[in-house]
Amino acid sequence: MAVVQVVALPDAAAAKALVGQPPPRKLTKEELIKTHKTYLKKQDLSPDQSRPVKQPVLCEAYPASTKSIRDVEFMPLSELRVETHHRGRGVIVKVISPPYIGAGAVSIVEDEFGNVDKLAIYNQPDSSILSAVPEGCVVAVKEPYYKHNGAEHDYMICVDHPSDVVLLRFADPLIPEPLRLGPLLKSADEWRAAGDTAFIEKDFPTAVFCYTEALETSDDDKFKAPVFTKRAGMNLLLGRYDAAMADALASRTGGPGDWKAYYNAGRAAYGLCQYAASRTYLEQALALSSGSSSSGSGGIRKEHERCLARLREEEHGDYDFPAMAASLSPTAVHLDRGSFLRRTRVDSSPHHGRGLFATQAIAAGELVFVEKATLMPNQYEPSRASAALYAMTVRQLCDNPSLAQSVLTLYAGDDVAGSRTGAEGTIIDGGPVVDVFLVEGIRTKNCFSAPLSTVDDTRPAAPPGHMAKGLWAHASHMNHSCVPNTMRSFLGDMLVSRATRDIAAGEEVFQQYVPVKSLVDLRNAEYKAGWGFECGCTLCSGERKSPAANLDRRREVLIAVEKACNKRGPGVGDKGIVPNAIIRNIDRLAQKLEDLHEPEVYDDLPRLTLIYPCNWLVGAHRGRKNHAKVLKYGLRVLRNFGFRVPLEEGSDWEPRDIYTRSGNASLMTIHVVAALRKMAEAHQALGQSVMAARCAEAAEFGFIMVTGFKNDPSIIEP
């Protein structure tokens, strides 16, 4: 059994003294390999073992290299300095050990002078051979970061940005002669002679590497065309749609057999959600296959029909939402649907940077947009969801550089603003520049938490906290408002946005980033900490006109209200009935809280601190079957959400009109639906069937905004 020596960590002062200096002592080649073999014996490479993710710490951000490997000055490993980014320089090393696979791939490497060190490569996509770089490969690291790894004499080259390391081809003249060995797999001649029978069937990244070697070492056009076809197929399997499309088009020969090239290009374009391009390629494939002896026409027609369905969704926003909901399961969260975005556009906003604006008038309840996630992993475990989205974003940006324009231009926060170079996404050394700190900043500022299904999430029995993290690039341009004019819901990886009130053409559309807190200072502290802004919406601007002393008094009374309500809730007491004495106390506190809202400030604004006690009173009176009081406090709930409703008992009004006649300072939530349902029940009990039907209809209409499509709001009741 291998014995691992435990060494003490150096103190902070000693570690700081090493910065910019060569290591006082480095482990020998034999020591490094011995320790590495110990770790290799411990690693679990079982297929179901999830790989950990190293997420960047934003306060330690540094930019990715924007230099070509041809433009750096190469240095021996012996010149590396501790905790230093060696700008303008690089190292070329050969991997002399199998990789240890953890959050990264850790290998022992050697340079042309016989110097040996440890190399840790992080954040590589699974489709890249660098995610587990095989022994014998030669790699170049641009502007390497050399770090002290904690333990005594433990140092390594740390590659955080995936574009900072380049796998050198065997014929690359950059490889020093001492490192130039035979090919990792087969030479072009051996591959050509062996044909498909010797091809690697399961290791797709190595297969792509092998095909690339064959293409770059051959001048035979007849040989290249089928290799491009095969590499296109491999890239499709790996989800590298940009490369698959390029390979498919490069495989054309000008003959009728090109139907397969267009078919593969169409599939690749479909994978990128470029449905118009996909249709063009598939129609070219259909035209060629109709005169071919090939049997591929059926598959092409099927893909073409799918493509036409996506284009109809993009153009008209026609979705079968119940069917979409029925198709969801824990293993099927990515729906095959297109995005309907034509009612909105991105433009400069007077509020914060860019925003989303309506291109036409949109009535309350109508679709504003429906967007398929740009990126959303199937990971609903709260402790893993953020890391999964980060890892997917890095992987997809590496695999499909065309995503850079929609993703890397999003707001990333002040922590990484200074590290933007403008070269992110640019192709250098055959791959896009990907800055992982920028990616993490974009993730933290733009991702959404999404249940598998919003409608199922409204059920009382829904498990709390199970949310995936996803990035919807179009929706990410929306600015926040505490009283927004839209409401979002989710069906798998589809985000559905509906208008909560009438929206005029050219009007900016807003969303809530998070559920709003009732006190203006608390909610704005959350926005400042999370996104770096203070809200200037109608509600926040209005509430800031209220004197600070009144805010403090409302805070004190709200604490007393919450304490009293939580002490004896509506469900506690004899047979669930709350004693009148407790109800009177809550009513008194609610009235006291209401008196602290200045009419000149709050006449046309929501009064969020009053929602909790009024909701409580609705439940308490409902339990006592005091239907008139249910109606009284139900109206107050609606009023406190900012809806214009009559507060006098017996008034004739149209509940459905609250969505169209309440101005621009109302707040739509599921609690509005619940209040309308309880009011419908109370009207029915009082024999007022017309008003009962009106309230029920308004609740059903509101529930469409909450869940994204028509559902029975009775499911929200326990």
Side-chain angles (χ1 to χ4, degrees):
M1 179 181 293
V3 178
V4 180
Q5 182 182 5
V6 179
V7 296
L9 294 177
D11 59 49
K16 188 175 181 180
L18 294 174
V19 175
Q21 302 297 317
R25 179 186 180 277
K26 294 174 68 173
L27 297 178
T28 66
K29 180 177 182 178
E30 291 73 21
E31 289 172 324
L32 282 169
I33 291 177
K34 180 180 178 180
T35 303
H36 190 69
K37 286 181 177 179
T38 302
Y39 282 103
L40 290 176
K41 290 178 181 178
K42 295 178 180 179
Q43 71 177 341
D44 183 0
L45 296 178
S46 56
D48 58 345
Q49 182 68 20
S50 60
R51 189 166 177 176
V53 175
K54 180 190 178 188
Q55 283 185 265
V57 179
L58 292 182
C59 64
E60 299 175 358
Y62 66 93
S65 176
T66 59
K67 290 184 176 293
S68 168
I69 200 66
R70 315 288 164 181
D71 298 329
V72 298
E73 178 188 351
F74 291 107
M75 61 192 292
L77 293 175
S78 58
E79 293 184 10
L80 291 170
R81 297 296 183 260
V82 179
E83 299 300 333
T84 299
H85 300 277
H86 298 78
R87 293 300 177 190
R89 308 193 73 184
V91 296
I92 295 179
V93 293
K94 181 180 68 175
V95 178
I96 61 171
S97 74
Y100 173 81
I101 308 300
V106 181
S107 305
I108 309 301
V109 296
E110 186 172 23
D111 67 10
E112 63 178 303
F113 306 104
N115 300 306
V116 178
D117 222 313
K118 188 160 55 174
L119 172 66
I121 300 176
Y122 297 100
N123 300 307
Q124 291 291 330
D126 295 337
S127 61
S128 169
I129 195 171
L130 288 169
S131 65
V133 59
E135 184 177 2
C137 286
V138 179
V139 298
V141 181
K142 299 184 287 186
E143 303 187 315
Y145 171 40
Y146 194 57
K147 66 175 292 184
H148 182 230
N149 209 31
E152 190 176 13
H153 311 313
D154 188 9
Y155 306 92
M156 69 179 185
I157 303 167
C158 177
V159 182
D160 289 310
H161 304 296
S163 50
D164 283 357
V165 60
V166 178
L167 178 67
L168 297 180
R169 302 295 170 187
F170 300 137
D172 197 312
L174 281 179
I175 299 178
E177 201 59 39
L179 302 184
R180 191 174 297 282
L181 299 176
L184 173 64
L185 297 176
K186 296 180 182 294
S187 69
D189 290 337
E190 290 173 317
W191 188 90
R192 190 182 292 118
D196 288 344
T197 58
F199 189 69
I200 298 174
E201 296 179 352
K202 295 183 179 179
D203 189 351
F204 297 152
T206 306
V208 171
F209 177 86
C210 178
Y211 282 136
T212 304
E213 281 291 304
L215 288 166
E216 292 189 357
T217 56
S218 174
D219 295 324
D220 184 350
D221 289 339
K222 290 184 179 180
F223 167 73
K224 283 186 174 183
V227 178
F228 275 123
T229 299
K230 292 178 184 299
R231 194 171 69 173
M234 285 294 166
N235 280 323
L236 281 170
L237 289 170
L238 289 167
R240 300 179 61 197
Y241 299 117
D242 282 349
M245 191 186 306
D247 282 346
L249 296 176
S251 72
R252 292 174 295 180
T253 62
D258 282 352
W259 70 266
K260 190 167 187 179
Y262 289 115
Y263 176 55
N264 284 336
R267 291 168 64 201
Y270 191 98
L272 293 168
C273 300
Q274 297 174 4
Y275 302 119
S278 178
R279 175 180 61 186
T280 298
Y281 290 135
L282 292 172
E283 287 175 352
Q284 289 174 294
L286 279 171
L288 288 172
S289 67
S290 63
S292 168
S293 59
S294 165
S295 59
S297 298
I300 301 171
R301 278 192 291 271
K302 183 177 179 181
E303 291 297 317
H304 185 249
E305 289 169 3
R306 276 209 309 159
C307 187
L308 293 179
R310 302 294 81 79
L311 288 168
R312 285 193 295 271
E313 290 157 357
E314 285 188 338
E315 179 67 20
H316 304 293
D318 291 335
Y319 296 91
D320 187 344
F321 288 114
M324 291 164 63
S327 70
L328 289 173
S329 73
T331 58
V333 303
H334 299 109
L335 299 181
D336 187 12
R337 295 293 187 276
S339 297
F340 174 62
L341 308 177
R342 63 194 306 270
R343 288 180 174 173
T344 54
R345 59 178 170 82
V346 179
D347 209 338
S348 297
S349 169
H351 297 279
H352 305 286
R354 291 172 297 176
L356 217 57
F357 294 81
T359 59
Q360 64 182 74
I362 305 172
E366 288 186 343
L367 287 175
V368 178
F369 63 88
V370 179
E371 184 179 8
K372 183 173 177 63
T374 310
L375 301 156
M376 194 200 85
N378 184 5
Q379 178 54 266
Y380 287 81
E381 179 60 41
S383 63
R384 298 179 179 179
S386 293
L389 176 58
Y390 160 77
M392 172 181 269
T393 305
V394 172
R395 181 175 71 247
Q396 289 295 329
L397 286 169
C398 290
D399 286 348
N400 296 296
S402 61
L403 284 175
Q405 181 58 36
S406 61
V407 174
L408 294 182
T409 55
L410 295 172
Y411 175 65
D414 296 334
D415 288 331
V416 295
S419 66
R420 279 191 189 264
T421 64
E424 293 82 12
T426 303
I427 304 298
I428 298 177
D429 295 322
V433 175
V434 176
D435 185 321
V436 296
F437 296 97
L438 178 62
V439 168
E440 178 66 354
I442 288 171
R443 184 200 66 79
T444 59
K445 302 303 181 186
N446 295 277
C447 78
F448 293 86
S449 296
L452 180 62
S453 165
T454 297
V455 62
D456 289 339
D457 200 50
T458 63
R459 301 177 190 272
H466 280 67
M467 297 277 185
K469 299 285 187 180
L471 180 66
W472 286 261
H474 190 72
S476 292
H477 288 101
M478 294 178 76
N479 283 313
H480 166 87
S481 171
C482 299
V483 283
N485 49 11
T486 72
M487 196 168 188
R488 66 176 176 267
S489 57
F490 296 94
L491 279 171
D493 67 338
M494 303 296 293
L495 186 156
V496 181
S497 176
R498 286 193 180 270
T500 56
R501 53 180 176 265
D502 293 346
I503 300 173
E507 182 181 347
E508 185 167 2
V509 294
F510 296 95
Q511 63 179 336
Q512 277 186 359
Y513 285 1
V514 290
V516 297
K517 290 180 167 58
S518 59
L519 295 169
V520 62
D521 57 340
L522 293 184
R523 63 176 180 266
N524 276 278
E526 182 178 18
Y527 307 149
K528 190 70 175 177
W531 293 274
F533 73 89
E534 288 190 351
C535 184
C537 73
T538 305
L539 177 59
C540 288
S541 298
E543 287 202 288
R544 290 191 183 101
K545 298 174 184 176
S546 181
N550 278 8
L551 173 64
D552 291 338
R553 290 169 65 193
R554 286 195 294 272
R555 189 192 324 275
E556 292 172 3
V557 177
L558 181 60
I559 292 172
V561 166
E562 291 174 346
K563 183 178 180 181
C565 290
N566 290 332
K567 185 176 180 181
R568 295 297 297 270
V572 179
D574 184 24
K575 297 181 180 179
I577 298 175
V578 182
N580 276 322
I582 295 176
I583 294 177
R584 286 194 297 271
N585 183 45
I586 303 299
D587 196 5
R588 178 185 61 80
L589 289 170
Q591 186 59 55
K592 185 176 180 180
L593 190 56
E594 184 168 350
D595 292 341
L596 291 172
H597 289 76
E598 309 92 326
E600 63 273 18
V601 173
Y602 286 97
D603 261 358
D604 294 318
L605 293 179
R607 300 178 294 184
L608 301 184
T609 57
L610 280 161
I611 291 170
Y612 182 66
C614 288
N615 254 333
W616 189 96
L617 287 165
V618 168
H621 287 300
R622 184 187 185 211
R624 297 187 67 88
K625 300 189 184 304
N626 191 335
H627 307 300
K629 290 294 181 68
V630 169
L631 296 176
K632 173 183 176 180
Y633 287 103
L635 286 170
R636 277 162 172 72
V637 168
L638 299 179
R639 164 61 189 89
N640 292 327
F641 273 113
F643 293 105
R644 293 175 181 171
V645 295
L647 297 181
E648 299 79 17
E649 295 182 28
S651 299
D652 185 31
W653 61 294
E654 180 52 68
R656 174 77 175 260
D657 288 348
I658 64 172
Y659 305 114
T660 56
R661 298 182 181 177
S662 293
N664 63 352
S666 57
L667 175 57
M668 180 61 196
T669 77
I670 194 170
H671 300 294
V672 173
V673 176
L676 286 165
R677 277 189 48 77
K678 293 181 176 71
M679 292 172 69
E681 179 186 78
H683 278 300
Q684 193 65 45
L686 292 171
Q688 300 165 358
S689 57
V690 173
M691 279 304 296
R694 290 179 182 176
C695 287
E697 181 193 9
E700 290 176 5
F701 187 68
F703 204 47
I704 292 174
M705 302 176 195
V706 172
T707 63
F709 62 107
K710 188 173 182 179
N711 286 283
D712 182 0
S714 67
I715 65 174
I716 66 178
E717 299 294 337

